[in-house]
Amino acid sequence: MSQNKRELAPTFSPADIESPLYEKWIAAGYFTADNTSGKEPYTIVIPPPNVTGSLHIGHALDHTLQDVLIRMKRMKGFETLWLPGMDHAGIATQNVVEKQLASEGKSRHDLGREEFVKKVWEWKAESGGAILGQMRRLGESVDWSREAFTMDANGIKAVPTIFKKLYEADLIYRAERIINWCTRCLTALSDIEVEHSDVEGEFVSVRYGEGDQQITVATTRPETMLGDGAVAVHPDDPRYKHMVGTQVLLPLANRMIPIIADELVDPDFGTGAVKVTGAHDPNDFEMATRHGIEMPIIMDEHGVMANSGTQFDGMDRFVARKAVVAELKAQGRVVSEKRPYLHSVGHCSRCDTTVEPRLSLQWFVRVAPLAKAAGDAVREGRVKIEPKELEPRYFDWVDNMHDWCISRQLWWGHQIPVWYGPNGEVLVLGPDEKAPTGYVQDPDVLDTWFSSALWPFSTLGWPEITADVKKFYPTSVLVTGYDILFFWVVRMMMMGIFAMDGVAPFPVIALHGLVRDRFGKKMSKSRGNTIDPLEFMDRYGADALRFALAQKANPGTDQALAEEWVGASRNFATKLWNATRFAIMNGANVEGELPAHDSLNAIDKWILSRLSETISEVDHLLESYEFARACDVIYHFAWDDLCDWYLELSKETFASGNSEGTKRVLGYVLDQLLKLMHPVMPFITEELWTSFTGGESLVISQWPVADAAHIDKKSEKLVTELQTIITEVRRFRNDQGIKTTQKVPGRFIAPTDIAQYAPAMAFVLKMESVDFTASASFEIGLVKVELDLTGTIDIGAERARLTKDLATAQKDLQTAQVKLSNEGFMAKAPENVVVEIKERLVTTSADIERISAQLAALPQS
RNA sequence: GGGUGCUUAGCUCAGUGGUAGAGCGCCUCGUUUACACCGAGGAUGUCGGGGGUUCGAAACCCUCAGCGCCCA
């Protein structure tokens, strides 16, 4: 049992212990899940980071919380699977490799598709996945044997399987629709890949028509007028009613276009008449479709004007915007201009290029039935969102979801499993099916989120019903930031429920917030306030970073983080280190059973009672995803109860030699505490625990269980009294200017239950038990303290202290009296509250009497 | 424009009906054989404004103001 026991270095140095411990855990295979075990499964899949990414502070938080849960459940005896992996990140990765090619003066087209994709795989092998090594530094107890990638063998099977299944259920279709087009990435984007931000643009009112057939329309994008198919007004707008059904001249293009009436037009906006450019605006597309209006596409895929039949063809869209306005001005058609005009414009989330709405033939997922099922799962309580406050956001999204454009004009990704025949045949093939000769596969790839939506089961081997699928699906909880609720979580819900016969991929969605800077401001490269978790781990250790993050992780809310907070967590780790050294030094041990409860002193009983309460609270809080509060409870138990009080009060016991019970109790408390802390601070607790107990590893140790027999309110009350007495004496000494280290003759005159602990208190208070004549004395409750200050005491300081105490007591008394003399209170307040206030009345009255007497006894100075 | 959240000590935040809390920071003292990455003591709040419900409100309701986020 004791072969592993080691001496602890005098100071805690994270860098020396972390890496060897992680290697030890891996070598022992602690993190590898066994799909044949009889243990109850507990599964979490890591939100797959981009293969291009490195560990940022948000990952550190997300992964810490997951590791806390996984480690706790492992200690509770579950068969835990924490599955790591990465996302192929279509656009992001393709951009990285294209940039690399560009530096060599090449484009992907120089290589051709096959060569380019090969290049991306090469890039992945060489430079991708930096984050995986960084996850090891954080101490993540993931099952590396199951490391997954969205484009690995499992992904390659799962994607066409579900595509075909959705297609056959009429939930995937191909259609010409307005999509978000990035003129730089040259691909369609889904709604969520577009970020809206306010931009200073212009708002130009232009007169269409000639003579008495004129109408003025306003637009922020004048260049698109070349593709106008109509002018629309509200059907009830009296200004334009007479013009509906007539035609008007479209300037520049010199075409006649109809004036139509549509409810979609807001008569109070601008002039109440709008241009209808069906091919370049989603609202206009709707109207144009409804009214059978023509929708000419007047830009090419690069955003250059084309096929408008005007002099503007060949101009970039932003150049054309100016040129069009200039020409309109020359013709006297600009009625008014507002510039700058602040309005919201969509940008590509990958490259920030202004998105161009564009009519285009794409593949879509018909989300309505899938989203309905995803919403119902939460509505019917089969899936819980923690915290519940975030449910409305979830519903807001799933209940108003647009069809999802899933085709991307990229090369890196899952190619769409659709083949087109020579005579227009469309063939959707599963993973093991082959297209007949002469058929050509759709060149597009699928949106990255399409494959990551399958993550909770594709990583387990689905569509094969593998042992892993049987054992570990559905997963146990999804832990992620609320910011990807819509990107990823909703999609996993839809796909999981659809693919797995209605079984949602997880019963709980535990959402956390974002990590912000010390002032609560969002981190961004442009602000220069980003935090690098790796630097913090270098400086303070992985445990300190983990604890700092977990300690501030309140459900669903953002947290601020500053370097000092991490430093403070490192200090806490050091505190624990030294407390353990102290315990070992004094012979604390875990040998044999705990001594009979009755044989223990009240201080030992008290710490056992507090430990038991702490275990209950921490366990309950962690099970409720209340990480911040759990850490807080641990922190205060360890630092306040254990270090500041129990160790101090036990020093006299250790010095006296009669300390067998205390040694065993301290050993027990430390053993349990280290276990309780292990999920949050795995490295230091492992190092301390193995040194202290000689055990193999905390990773596979048993999670503490609160012992109800240890709850001892009587001892808690007694120790609280001891604490009050000690604090009062300290205050007195402090007010009298007596240094902490200075020994002072003194004694307690106290009832037996307290007198029993006088030596312990005297030790803490540096009181000497010698014969003396008291020069100062005061009372705390039933206890009288006498001290010899060998000189006159500072009466002014003492009077000030007592006067302040008296004022506090009098205020408390008054509060209690007011309540008790209030008829309404007496009649309606619950019994226990009334009793409590009455007790307060008694104690504060006694305090006042005592303090007053002491004040009166002070010599007049 | 729609939705949603926040406003509590200098800073960052807990606290959902019964005497206002934590961490950090601040002030004073201190080289106590676990720990100065520490210890002891101390100061600090009309809980955003106004109104209401209640015996009792930081908490529940209404309203105003400011800030934030999501969506359009």
Side-chain angles (χ1 to χ4, degrees):
Chain A
M1 173 78 185
S2 57
Q3 73 277 13
N4 286 331
K5 284 193 180 179
R6 295 185 302 282
E7 290 261 316
L8 283 169
T11 50
F12 166 49
S13 168
D16 295 341
I17 64 164
E18 290 177 356
S19 176
L21 285 177
Y22 197 79
E23 294 307 317
K24 167 189 141 184
W25 294 332
I26 294 293
Y30 295 150
F31 306 154
T32 309
D34 177 3
N35 59 28
T36 65
S37 90
K39 296 176 181 176
E40 198 181 327
Y42 187 87
T43 317
I44 298 181
V45 291
I46 288 194
N50 286 358
V51 61
T52 54
S54 55
L55 189 84
H56 62 63
I57 195 73
H59 293 125
L61 169 64
D62 188 50
H63 293 196
T64 294
L65 302 186
Q66 290 172 50
D67 202 23
V68 168
L69 293 173
I70 283 285
R71 285 181 182 268
M72 174 179 71
K73 291 290 184 174
R74 191 181 289 118
M75 290 170 76
K76 282 188 171 187
F78 286 78
E79 188 63 46
T80 51
L81 168 58
W82 190 21
L83 198 145
M86 293 185 294
D87 193 286
H88 67 276
I91 300 184
T93 310
Q94 179 160 329
N95 281 355
V96 168
V97 178
E98 284 195 282
K99 215 171 265 177
Q100 210 173 47
L101 285 176
S103 70
E104 301 162 18
K106 286 190 256 181
S107 84
R108 67 176 149 127
H109 300 282
D110 297 330
L111 272 69
R113 183 166 189 147
E114 206 173 313
E115 271 304 302
F116 178 76
V117 169
K118 215 173 117 190
K119 197 99 188 162
V120 180
W121 279 107
E122 281 168 18
W123 175 88
K124 178 190 178 269
E126 283 168 29
S127 322
I131 192 171
L132 300 176
Q134 296 159 347
M135 286 162 62
R136 289 175 162 84
R137 283 220 43 203
L138 196 60
E140 301 183 26
S141 65
V142 295
D143 183 350
W144 291 111
S145 75
R146 285 178 169 83
E147 182 191 328
F149 184 56
T150 45
M151 280 176 65
D152 63 14
N154 284 339
I156 283 169
K157 273 193 162 183
V159 166
T161 304
I162 196 141
F163 188 98
K164 188 173 181 188
K165 212 175 155 189
L166 285 164
Y167 183 80
E168 284 169 353
D170 194 28
L171 293 171
I172 280 186
Y173 64 93
R174 194 185 195 208
E176 198 161 57
R177 291 284 162 80
I178 287 270
I179 46 84
N180 305 293
W181 180 265
C182 177
T183 57
R184 200 214 64 86
C185 300
L186 299 180
T187 180
L189 303 171
S190 66
D191 289 350
I192 57 170
E193 290 165 303
V194 176
E195 281 167 9
H196 292 265
S197 56
D198 279 346
V199 163
E200 284 188 359
E202 58 202 312
F203 193 58
V204 184
S205 299
V206 182
R207 184 168 48 81
Y208 283 17
E210 290 294 336
D212 52 7
Q213 183 66 358
Q214 294 194 10
I215 192 160
T216 300
V217 300
T219 178
T220 56
R221 308 181 56 210
E223 75 281 6
T224 62
M225 68 176 285
L226 304 175
D228 283 2
V231 169
V233 298
H234 193 273
D236 301 330
D237 195 329
R239 291 171 293 180
Y240 306 116
K241 221 163 186 170
H242 65 284
M243 298 177 82
V244 173
T246 64
Q247 300 232 319
V248 68
L249 177 78
L250 175 66
L252 307 184
N254 281 317
R255 285 186 278 119
M256 293 303 283
I257 54 174
I259 297 175
I260 60 170
D262 196 290
E263 303 267 348
L264 205 62
V265 179
D266 176 4
D268 297 324
F269 183 77
T271 58
V274 297
K275 55 201 278 307
V276 178
T277 321
H280 294 278
D281 182 280
N283 288 329
D284 292 5
F285 175 75
E286 244 183 79
M287 286 195 277
T289 306
R290 248 195 309 266
H291 298 271
I293 301 297
E294 286 196 30
M295 305 183 224
I297 299 174
I298 44 99
M299 269 178 228
D300 69 11
E301 57 194 10
H302 295 93
V304 173
M305 307 306 289
N307 303 319
S308 74
T310 65
Q311 70 269 36
F312 305 101
D313 282 358
M315 289 184 191
D316 175 80
R317 53 187 168 155
F318 298 114
V319 176
R321 182 171 300 171
K322 286 186 179 142
V324 164
V325 174
E327 181 58 29
L328 288 169
K329 266 188 185 162
Q331 296 185 12
R333 289 187 171 274
V334 174
V335 176
S336 71
E337 284 179 277
K338 273 189 209 162
R339 193 177 288 123
Y341 178 78
L342 204 65
H343 65 125
S344 177
V345 173
H347 296 86
C348 172
S349 62
R350 281 292 152 208
C351 70
D352 209 38
T353 301
T354 300
V355 161
E356 187 62 40
R358 183 181 168 88
L359 190 60
S360 162
L361 185 64
Q362 304 285 348
W363 286 95
F364 294 86
V365 171
R366 198 185 309 282
V367 297
L370 299 167
K372 170 85 167 45
D376 287 347
V378 175
R379 265 184 287 271
E380 290 161 12
R382 282 175 280 127
V383 175
K384 282 197 181 122
I385 292 181
E386 300 281 356
K388 208 172 160 53
E389 295 94 273
L390 288 172
E391 271 186 11
R393 275 204 198 191
Y394 176 84
F395 292 132
D396 190 45
W397 185 263
V398 290
D399 295 342
N400 299 297
M401 210 171 165
H402 297 290
D403 277 1
W404 170 19
C405 175
I406 51 171
S407 41
R408 296 289 177 277
Q409 288 64 52
L410 305 172
W411 288 351
W412 175 242
H414 290 278
Q415 196 167 345
I416 291 180
V418 176
W419 278 257
Y420 305 107
N423 302 310
E425 299 94 333
V426 175
L427 207 55
V428 176
L429 298 182
D432 303 320
E433 297 171 308
K434 271 217 154 88
T437 45
Y439 277 61
V440 181
Q441 187 172 6
D442 192 304
D444 290 351
V445 301
L446 288 163
D447 181 5
T448 290
W449 297 102
F450 189 89
S451 48
S452 40
L454 317 180
W455 193 245
F457 47 93
S458 68
T459 52
L460 298 174
W462 188 92
E464 310 301 328
I465 303 305
T466 58
D468 272 2
V469 171
K470 283 187 210 160
K471 179 85 182 171
F472 298 113
Y473 189 92
T475 67
S476 306
V477 61
L478 177 77
V479 179
T480 192
Y482 63 75
D483 54 323
I484 58 168
L485 188 59
F486 313 135
F487 289 78
W488 187 49
V489 180
V490 170
R491 282 168 168 74
M492 278 193 292
M493 287 286 287
M494 295 195 305
M495 294 302 198
I497 291 169
F498 176 77
M500 307 302 277
D501 300 319
V503 180
F506 24 74
V508 179
I509 300 167
L511 296 166
H512 60 251
L514 274 37
V515 182
R516 295 169 168 267
D517 77 1
R518 69 176 63 218
F519 300 112
K521 294 272 176 278
K522 201 169 177 173
M523 283 189 205
S524 69
K525 281 179 192 155
S526 55
R527 279 178 213 255
N529 62 348
T530 52
I531 283 174
D532 182 355
L534 298 162
E535 280 178 27
F536 281 3
M537 283 194 272
D538 286 343
R539 270 175 235 156
Y540 305 103
D543 288 324
L545 177 65
R546 293 169 61 114
F547 190 81
L549 289 166
Q551 194 186 21
K552 287 179 159 265
N554 285 299
T557 57
D558 293 349
Q559 61 170 285
L561 184 70
E563 181 157 358
E564 300 94 283
W565 309 174
V566 183
S569 295
R570 187 270 318 265
N571 296 352
F572 178 48
T574 305
K575 187 77 181 173
L576 194 69
W577 183 272
N578 285 305
T580 306
R581 285 179 59 224
F582 175 85
I584 293 172
M585 209 176 286
N586 283 287
N589 63 79
V590 290
E591 317 295 334
E593 298 290 308
L594 274 180
H597 198 255
D598 290 341
S599 70
L600 297 172
N601 68 44
I603 297 166
D604 290 334
K605 288 180 189 167
W606 164 76
I607 198 69
L608 287 175
S609 187
R610 287 291 305 122
L611 173 70
S612 209
E613 289 165 355
T614 302
I615 292 170
S616 301
E617 285 178 57
V618 170
D619 183 78
H620 172 254
L621 290 168
L622 288 180
E623 289 286 357
S624 317
Y625 313 103
E626 294 266 16
F627 300 98
R629 289 172 67 189
C631 288
D632 220 42
V633 170
I634 288 175
Y635 182 92
H636 285 110
F637 175 77
W639 203 310
D640 301 349
D641 291 335
L642 182 62
C643 292
D644 287 350
W645 289 108
Y646 183 70
L647 294 185
E648 292 303 322
L649 285 170
S650 298
K651 280 180 178 171
E652 191 271 336
T653 311
F654 288 128
S656 74
N658 182 20
S659 59
E660 287 315 303
T662 301
K663 284 179 186 171
R664 183 65 189 88
V665 169
L666 175 55
Y668 176 80
V669 172
L670 200 57
D671 169 69
Q672 297 287 103
L673 175 63
L674 290 170
K675 286 173 176 166
L676 208 56
M677 293 179 65
H678 179 254
V680 190
M681 299 183 120
F683 292 113
I684 187 174
T685 50
E686 176 81 337
E687 181 69 9
L688 292 175
W689 187 81
T690 52
S691 303
F692 169 52
T693 66
E696 182 186 329
S697 174
L698 273 181
V699 177
I700 51 165
S701 70
Q702 215 194 344
W703 181 251
V705 178
D707 189 336
H710 286 169
I711 300 291
D712 183 346
K713 291 294 172 190
K714 211 178 129 196
S715 296
E716 287 191 25
K717 189 160 176 273
L718 181 71
V719 171
T720 304
E721 282 180 63
L722 300 183
Q723 290 172 331
T724 308
I725 294 162
I726 289 168
T727 303
E728 284 304 312
V729 175
R730 280 173 174 165
R731 282 184 68 198
F732 177 80
R733 289 179 55 125
N734 205 280
D735 290 345
Q736 292 300 321
I738 299 164
K739 296 183 175 170
T740 329
T741 43
Q742 188 183 326
K743 291 195 171 172
V744 172
R747 63 183 156 248
F748 298 96
I749 299 157
T752 23
D753 57 340
I754 290 187
Q756 212 182 326
Y757 300 99
M761 290 195 289
F763 191 93
V764 170
L765 290 166
K766 296 280 176 290
M767 266 160 65
E768 276 183 312
S769 119
V770 290
D771 282 339
F772 67 97
T773 310
S775 62
S777 78
F778 55 98
E779 290 168 51
I780 303 121
L782 299 173
V783 179
K784 187 174 188 187
V785 185
E786 292 185 335
L787 297 169
D788 177 14
L789 299 187
T790 62
T792 50
I793 63 164
D794 182 340
I795 294 164
E798 186 58 1
R799 179 170 287 128
R801 182 172 72 90
L802 290 170
T803 306
K804 195 182 145 220
D805 287 355
L806 186 63
T808 307
Q810 279 170 334
K811 197 182 147 218
D812 289 350
L813 177 71
Q814 201 190 348
T815 311
Q817 280 172 334
V818 166
K819 288 208 171 199
L820 292 173
S821 60
N822 180 332
E823 281 176 32
F825 176 80
M826 295 306 285
K828 295 189 179 178
E831 185 61 26
N832 62 325
V833 175
V834 176
V835 168
E836 196 189 310
I837 305 285
K838 279 183 178 164
E839 276 172 13
R840 201 181 299 155
L841 185 80
V842 173
T843 53
T844 49
S845 301
D847 284 346
I848 288 169
E849 206 174 309
R850 196 192 75 234
I851 297 166
S852 304
Q854 281 177 241
L855 266 173
L858 280 182
Q860 301 296 317
S861 58

